[in-house]
């Protein structure tokens, strides 16, 4: 899965090309005209440039001029071909065929690319490696090997080849007599006749791997005398008695891999003691063997047993004549040996491959009880293997790092200890160096590992400090979809941290992410989800949200919400739109989203999705977008009222996040009187009452806010009473942890019992209300009792007494501060609502007067001058002290401060002051930024790439 890092690549990924200007005049000429004649570059420089490109870019560049066309088909550029990153069908393969006459090595992905291999007409092909091979059939594989008789290496895996049988293995044996290496994963049955055919027809076959198979004929394998390296890792139903009786007789067997099987200590002992040629026996993650931790090899000097409970680095060091190679640098020391030993090199190359494959499989299984292994040597092994000269080993090691840290794909949780172990071992620098490689396979797997590790905040900080944000932003511009996808996943996870958002924007990450959406608008669900997720996190930042809009992000995200059918993409696109719309008056994104054709209609439609996450984020977006007057009405016209009422009705057992946003969206829409009436008519009262009984504090606030808005209309107020809303609001008012929920519940109850609902009920306009029988007097007494109790919780008799004694503005300010709810600064009331509270000051009920004064105090605090506060104070103190005499005393004290202020004019003065204050008359409701930074990481894949 990995490719070797090319040496002639500079730090920033630019090809190091020498200057061939022959004279000073030539150099000055280049500077004078400020251009380079690319066609005049030396051929070897152009070839070096071409070699750093994938096959599609290479072919495109070859079409620019005649000279480069000739150079572009040079055989040295087409020795190897990697088709994994792009869709390759028969047509594409045929167009590449003229260049593939001398093709030696091919890597592909998936059944469609496998079908296209024969159209390359590369009859001199020596190596074929394929993954995602589940759908490859016997027929396809048989045709491939029949067309490539010079084949020396065939590897299919690591995923299972479920549709390949022994018949295809026999075809391989008959068609490929020069075969040296055969590694197949996940075949159901490997019959004896197929293995016998290999032994008979492939005399040079030295490396066999039947990995994760269900049944393998052990006796037939014992007859393949040419084999030097044999792996049956993960294969079940092995007869270990037969194995120990026969396989030790294989004359050339130097390496045997039985990892992840049920082999026991007796079979291991016999193989090691009886085989004359065996040097390495790999038995990692073998439960039966690991039960005998006291098992040692004392009598088999010079033979290595690799098991999880032994020091693997130290064991490998014993293979060397120089016994100083015992540390964690054993692989590096081997690579740097001046005096090469061919046999040792072959063993070490095989050991690297086996370890990378087995460690990845162990990481994928996410077994319990392996923390000690991973922390002590597993992470270090993967980092050592990342420096291998074998491309597939490097890639698998990077994938292993991306995988072994993940402990919960679904919730994007990683193991902190493992992630930080990688960081301590210098893994971040290694991964970033691989990500800068020109090899796209390495770029992809390294970016995946960086993405998953960056879920840990300490690792994310290290990645940023090491320059990882610039590297990932650069990779996000790649034309290789897999590379761009993993880079976007890395930016997604890094953008969770507020401290990284600005750096991502400065590195050009915002523009790169937006461009990804347009570039892969079809056929790239993974890259679209990650790009949208990263933009959603970035949009939570005020400055970055502006950059997203400038880069065309609004149009891109609306396009995803409208057209994409993949639920993960829909969820992240809706979340991004919600965050873009959540910046109030600081930018025009809210209105801009509403002006995009079909944007609001698409979000309304997404609230009906079968996926809870999509419904939640769509409702959150509509909540924020309803802050804008025009958006609010368009949402309603698009069926938003009906859709959101239906959503509220269906989410009683849903997550608190969905409940909060469903109620919040109704709260936002209900600012409009017409929408408020429509919500009541569509049955929105009952589900909001149900949500008010939720155990989640955030749901309390949004449900109470929506009911407060609805209660402004007397018809809705009566519905709330009839649907049992009074006990629910009373419970919120008295028991909720949230001050805001208690406050808004009290205001809703005040609206319901200030007399207007009674007038409505007496009119008998029951055409819009039910005929449920309710005791309004009893409900009124219950409501007023709890409204009074709520207001009194903010009174402090001692503070009031001190203020009365001093009459000083500072003392009055202290009393006011004690009665203030800071969170109320988020609420915005219309003139009609302020007028209703002012009218409530004249209500015959002292409790409602107190509630009105208390509410006006909250709404005036942030915007009104001291006279308006002073004007409100007497009514507040009247209710709080509950003594008319004390009320009059405070009025006298206030008159001393403001000689022209008269008690009978307090409401009018307050209203006059209000008119001189800047108020937002058109909206009420939380205008919140849903900074939901996840990542879906990991995975996916899990992994964020799953």
């Amino acid at each position: 899965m990995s490719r070797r890092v090319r040496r002639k690549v500079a730090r920033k990924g630019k090809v190091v090309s020498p200057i061939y200007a022959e004279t000073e005049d030539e150099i000055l000429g280049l500077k004078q005209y400020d251009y380079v004649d690319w066609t005049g570059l030396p051929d070897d420089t152009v070839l070096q440039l071409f070699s750093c490109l994938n096959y599609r870019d290479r072919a495109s560049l070859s079409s620019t001029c005649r000279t480069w066309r000739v150079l572009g088909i040079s055989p040295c550029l087409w020795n190897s071909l990697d088709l994994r990153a792009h869709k390759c069908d028969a047509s594409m393969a045929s167009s590449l065929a003229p260049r593939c006459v001398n093709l030696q090595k091919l890597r592909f992905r998936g059944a469609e690319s496998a079908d296209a291999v024969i159209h390359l007409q590369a009859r001199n092909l020596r190596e074929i490696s394929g993954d995602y091979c589940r759908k490859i059939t016997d027929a396809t594989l048989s045709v491939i090997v029949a067309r490539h008789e010079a084949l020396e290496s065939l590897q299919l895996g690591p995923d299972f080849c479920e549709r390949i049988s022994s018949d295809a293995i026999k075809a391989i044996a008959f068609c490929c007599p020069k075969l040296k290496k055969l590694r197949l994963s996940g075949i159901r049955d490997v019959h004896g006749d197929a293995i016998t055919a290999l032994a008979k027809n492939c005399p040079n076959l030295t490396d066999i791997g039947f990995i994760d198979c269900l049944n393998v004929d052990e006796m037939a394998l014992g007859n393949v005398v040419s084999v030097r390296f044999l792996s049956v890792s993960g294969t079940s139903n092995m007869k270990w008695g037969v194995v120990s009786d026969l396989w030790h007789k294989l004359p050339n067997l130097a390496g045997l891999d039985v990892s992840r099987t049920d082999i026991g200590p007796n079979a291991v002992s016999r193989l090691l003691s009886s085989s004359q040629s065996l040097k390495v026996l790999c038995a990692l993650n073998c439960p039966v063997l690991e039960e005998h931790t006291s098992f040692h090899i004392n009598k088999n000097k010079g033979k290595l047993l690799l098991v999880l409970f032994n020091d693997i680095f130290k064991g490998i060091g014993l293979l060397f004549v120089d016994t100083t190679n015992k540390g964690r640098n054993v692989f590096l020391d081997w690579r740097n040996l001046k005096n090469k030993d061919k046999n040792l090199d072959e063993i070490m190359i095989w050991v690297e491959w086996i370890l990378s494959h087995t460690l990845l499989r162990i990481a994928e299984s996410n077994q319990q009880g392996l923390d000690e292994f991973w922390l002590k040597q597993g992470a270090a092994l993967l980092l050592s293997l990342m420096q291998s000269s074998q491309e597939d080993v490097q890639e698998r090691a990077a994938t292993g790092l991306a995988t072994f840290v993940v402990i919960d794909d679904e919730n994007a949780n990683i193991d902190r200890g493992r992630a930080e172990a990688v960081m301590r071992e210098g893994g971040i620098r290694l991964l970033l160096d691989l990500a800068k490689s020109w090899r796209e396979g390495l770029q992809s797997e390294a970016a995946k590992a960086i993405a998953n590790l960056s879920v840990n905040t300490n690792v994310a900080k290290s990645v940023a400090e090491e320059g990882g944000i610039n590297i990932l932003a650069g990779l996000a511009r790649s034309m290789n979809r897999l590379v761009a996808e993993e880079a976007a996943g890395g930016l997604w996870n890094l953008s969770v941290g507020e401290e990284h958002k600005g750096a991502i924007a400065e590195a050009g990450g915002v523009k790169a992410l937006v461009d990804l959406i347009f570039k892969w608008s079809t056929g790239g669900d993974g890259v679209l989800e990650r790009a949208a997720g990263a933009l959603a996190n970035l949009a939570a930042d005020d400055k970055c949200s502006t950059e997203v809009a400038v880069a065309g992000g609004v149009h891109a995200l609306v396009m995803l919400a409208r057209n994409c059918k993949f639920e993960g993409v829909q969820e992240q696109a809706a979340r991004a739109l919600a965050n873009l719309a959540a910046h109030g008056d600081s930018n025009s994104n809210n209105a801009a989203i509403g002006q995009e054709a079909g944007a609001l209609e698409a979000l309304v439609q997404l609230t009906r999705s079968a996926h809870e996450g999509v419904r939640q984020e769509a409702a959150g977006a509509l909540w924020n977008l309803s802050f804008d007057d025009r958006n609010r009405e368009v949402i309603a016209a698009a069926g938003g009222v009906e859709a959101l009422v239906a959503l509220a009705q269906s989410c009683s057992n849903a997550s608190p996040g969905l409940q909060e946003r469903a109620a919040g969206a109704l709260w936002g829409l209900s600012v409009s009187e017409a929408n408020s009436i429509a919500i009541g008519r569509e049955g929105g009262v009952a589900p909001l009452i149900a949500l008010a009984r939720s155990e989640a504090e955030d749901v309390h606030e949004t449900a109470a806010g929506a009911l407060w808005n609805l209660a402004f209309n007397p018809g809705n107020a009566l519905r709330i009473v009839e649907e049992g809303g009074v006990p629910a609001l009373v419970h919120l008012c008295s028991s909720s942890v949230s001050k805001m929920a208690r406050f808004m519940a009290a205001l809703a109850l005040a609206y319901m019992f200030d007399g207007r609902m009674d007038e409505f009920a007496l009119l008998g306009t029951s055409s819009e209300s039910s005929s449920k029988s309710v005791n309004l007097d009893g409900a009124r007494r219950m409501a007023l009792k709890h409204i009074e109790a709520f207001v009194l919780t903010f009174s402090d008799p001692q503070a009031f007494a001190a203020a009365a004694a001093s009459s000083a503005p500072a003392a009055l300010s202290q009393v006011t501060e004690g009665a203030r709810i800071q969170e109320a600064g988020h609420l915005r009331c219309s003139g009609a609502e302020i007028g209703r509270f002012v009218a409530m000051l004249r209500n015959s009920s002292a409790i409602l007067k107190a509630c009105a004064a208390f509410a006006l105090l909250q709404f005036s605090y942030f915007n009104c001058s001291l006279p308006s506060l002073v004007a409100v104070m007497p009514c507040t103190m009247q209710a709080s002290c509950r003594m008319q005499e004390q009320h009059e005393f405070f009025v006298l004290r206030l008159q001393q401060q403001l000689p022209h202020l008269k008690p009978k004019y307090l409401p009018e003065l307050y209203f006059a002051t209000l008119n001189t204050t800047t108020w937002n008359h058109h909206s009420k409701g939380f205008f919140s930024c849903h900074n939901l930074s996840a990542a879906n990481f990991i995975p996916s894949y899990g992994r964020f790439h799953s």
Side-chain angles (χ1 to χ4, degrees), residues 68-80:
W68 282 16
R69 182 176 183 181
V70 173
L71 292 175
I73 60 174
S74 299
C76 64
L77 295 175
W78 296 91
N79 283 328
S80 64

Side-chain angles (χ1 to χ4, degrees), residues 578-725:
N579 285 352
L580 281 174
H583 293 277
D585 299 326
S586 63
N587 59 50
S588 59
N589 290 346
N590 195 305
I593 294 170
Q595 291 167 9
E596 279 286 333
L600 301 178
E601 293 82 354
L603 289 168
V604 169
Q605 186 61 35
L606 290 181
T607 63
R608 302 184 175 97
S609 169
H611 188 272
E612 181 173 318
V614 176
R615 298 197 303 273
Q616 174 174 309
E617 301 305 340
L622 291 172
W623 179 9
N624 285 348
L625 288 164
S626 64
F627 177 80
D628 180 86
D629 286 343
R630 181 182 178 279
N631 287 347
R632 189 163 53 245
E633 302 315 316
V634 174
I635 291 169
V641 170
E642 296 82 356
L644 290 168
V645 168
L647 181 62
Q649 291 170 337
S650 66
C651 69
S652 57
N653 296 319
S655 67
L658 176 56
Q659 293 178 341
E660 178 197 12
R661 288 161 181 75
L666 288 172
W667 183 5
L669 286 184
S670 63
V671 169
S672 160
E673 184 177 4
N675 290 345
S676 176
I677 294 171
I679 291 169
R681 186 172 58 245
E682 291 294 329
V685 169
L688 286 169
I689 292 172
L691 292 177
R693 298 188 177 101
S694 168
E695 296 180 359
E697 178 181 338
D698 290 338
V699 182
H700 289 175
E701 292 182 0
T702 54
L707 290 170
W708 172 30
N709 276 4
L710 292 178
F712 189 84
N713 176 269
N716 284 336
L718 185 58
R719 287 190 180 93
I720 294 171
V721 175
E722 293 173 340
E723 294 289 347

Side-chain angles (χ1 to χ4, degrees), residues 79-144:
N79 283 328
S80 64
L81 183 60
D82 189 346
L83 300 175
R84 292 176 298 167
H86 304 282
K87 180 180 179 181
C88 183
D89 53 18
S91 175
M92 173 64 74
S94 297
S95 67
L96 291 171
R99 301 175 175 86
C100 296
V101 175
N102 297 300
L103 187 65
Q104 302 285 308
K105 183 177 179 179
L106 174 68
R107 304 186 74 177
F108 70 88
R109 173 166 291 170
E112 185 176 14
S113 292
D115 292 334
V117 166
I118 59 174
H119 297 281
L120 293 172
Q121 300 179 22
R123 294 194 173 273
N124 294 317
L125 202 58
R126 297 291 190 271
E127 298 181 33
I128 294 179
S129 177
D131 54 26
Y132 289 81
C133 299
R134 291 183 181 273
K135 295 183 179 181
I136 295 179
T137 63
D138 282 351
T140 298
L141 185 55
S142 297
V143 172
I144 289 174

Side-chain angles (χ1 to χ4, degrees), residues 260-446:
R260 301 183 295 113
T261 65
D262 59 356
I263 193 171
N266 293 333
V268 169
S269 294
R270 186 167 184 186
L271 286 166
L272 289 171
S273 61
S274 302
S275 175
Q276 300 299 313
S277 59
L278 188 61
K279 299 296 182 183
V280 179
L281 176 58
C282 187
L284 299 174
N285 199 210
C286 297
V288 177
L289 184 62
E290 288 165 8
E291 290 176 1
H292 299 77
T293 54
S294 60
F295 177 75
H296 294 290
I297 324 165
N298 298 321
K299 301 179 181 180
N300 303 292
K301 188 176 180 180
K303 296 185 179 181
L304 172 61
L305 175 63
L306 298 178
V307 289
L308 292 183
F309 53 79
N310 283 349
D311 188 330
I312 295 174
F313 285 106
K314 182 178 179 180
I316 293 174
L318 297 176
L319 293 173
F320 296 84
V321 175
D322 182 358
T323 56
T324 59
N325 293 300
K326 293 183 178 180
R328 292 197 170 190
N329 292 325
V330 61
F331 288 101
L332 183 60
D333 292 341
W334 160 64
R335 296 181 196 114
N336 293 332
L337 282 177
K338 294 181 179 179
N339 299 320
K340 296 293 185 180
D341 181 324
K342 181 180 178 181
N343 288 332
L344 178 61
D345 287 349
E346 289 179 352
I347 291 174
M348 289 296 291
I349 289 171
W350 179 78
V351 167
E352 281 191 334
W353 194 93
I354 290 300
L355 284 176
S356 67
H357 186 280
T358 299
L359 290 175
L360 176 56
R361 281 299 197 208
I362 295 173
E364 288 173 338
S365 65
N366 196 18
Q367 296 179 42
Q368 301 297 315
L370 293 180
D371 282 350
E372 184 178 2
F373 165 74
W374 286 119
L375 293 175
K376 285 188 174 181
Q377 56 181 332
L381 280 169
L382 289 170
L383 292 174
S384 294
L385 294 171
M386 273 173 46
Q387 301 170 72
S388 170
S389 60
Q390 300 181 74
E391 300 169 14
D392 53 348
V393 170
Q394 284 183 296
E395 289 186 21
R396 257 197 303 274
T399 307
L401 285 174
T403 306
F404 95 107
V405 296
V406 179
I407 56 177
D408 183 357
D409 282 354
E410 185 175 348
N411 296 308
N413 291 331
I414 69 169
D415 186 284
R416 177 179 178 179
R418 297 180 187 181
E420 295 185 357
V422 174
M423 181 174 65
R424 287 193 301 270
E425 295 281 350
I428 303 305
R429 185 70 263 162
L430 280 174
L431 286 166
L432 291 174
D433 286 342
L434 283 187
K436 291 189 292 185
S437 163
W438 66 274
R439 298 283 192 179
E440 292 176 332
L442 286 178
Q443 291 174 355
S444 173
E445 298 308 318

